[in-house]
Amino acid sequence: MNIEKVLQSTVKYKLHDSVILNLLYSTILIENSEESIFRKFGITRAQYNVLRILKGAKGNPMNLFDVQSRMLKRMSNTTRLVDKLLTKNYVERIVCPENRRKVEITITETGLNLLDDILPVLNSKHSEKLKNLSEEEQKSLIELLEKLRT
């Protein structure tokens, strides 16, 4: 279904508007389908993002600045996100004994287990969303999106 029909527009969009609106609408659809998954596991997309980053550190602690710089959607409330993950025992905070202002975060075994539970559900949802695109089309889409970001 074309974007004009989706948005119930009576006017045909210019090509560049149509491209952007299609990107935005597709992103929103994907985000909405993922949100229902995260909600079932009692976390938000941003909290999942923090856990994913910490898992990628392979057990090495990270400071808040490094976590925030790797987030897909950078947020100013990373401290609050981490605090919520702390209360759920998904991460732990490590305070440097020499400099109490230096704080690092690491993912706990509980946090890793949560990611292990979420990942198959998320992968299944992603496969479902991409089922109408061949592997070659998916690779082409990646190339086009990467080109768009340059």
Side-chain angles (χ1 to χ4, degrees), residues 115-129:
L115 288 179
D116 288 344
D117 291 342
I118 292 173
L119 200 55
V121 180
L122 202 54
N123 284 339
S124 175
K125 183 62 77 173
H126 291 165
S127 292
E128 180 188 318
K129 286 287 178 195

Side-chain angles (χ1 to χ4, degrees), residues 73-89:
K73 195 181 237 182
R74 288 176 180 74
M75 308 175 88
S76 60
N77 63 349
T78 308
T79 303
R80 191 170 58 92
L81 287 173
V82 169
D83 288 343
K84 289 187 178 197
L85 292 169
L86 275 164
T87 63
K88 296 175 182 182
N89 195 36

Side-chain angles (χ1 to χ4, degrees), residues 49-111:
N49 198 6
V50 169
L51 292 174
R52 180 190 60 76
I53 291 164
L54 292 173
K55 181 181 180 180
K58 299 184 184 339
N60 297 313
M62 294 181 71
N63 65 47
L64 278 175
F65 178 79
D66 289 337
V67 170
Q68 189 172 20
S69 69
R70 295 180 187 187
M71 292 183 74
L72 292 171
K73 195 181 237 182
R74 288 176 180 74
M75 308 175 88
S76 60
N77 63 349
T78 308
T79 303
R80 191 170 58 92
L81 287 173
V82 169
D83 288 343
K84 289 187 178 197
L85 292 169
L86 275 164
T87 63
K88 296 175 182 182
N89 195 36
Y90 294 143
V91 301
E92 58 187 16
R93 193 176 275 149
I94 303 163
V95 179
C96 177
E98 294 85 34
N99 180 357
R100 298 202 40 84
R101 289 181 296 175
K102 184 179 178 190
V103 177
E104 294 182 316
I105 302 113
T106 188
I107 191 167
T108 64
E109 195 66 35
T110 305

Side-chain angles (χ1 to χ4, degrees), residues 11 31 38 50 54 74 89 110 139 145-146:
V11 178
E31 285 179 346
F38 298 135
V50 169
L54 292 173
R74 288 176 180 74
N89 195 36
T110 305
K139 289 176 184 177
L145 292 170
E146 287 173 350

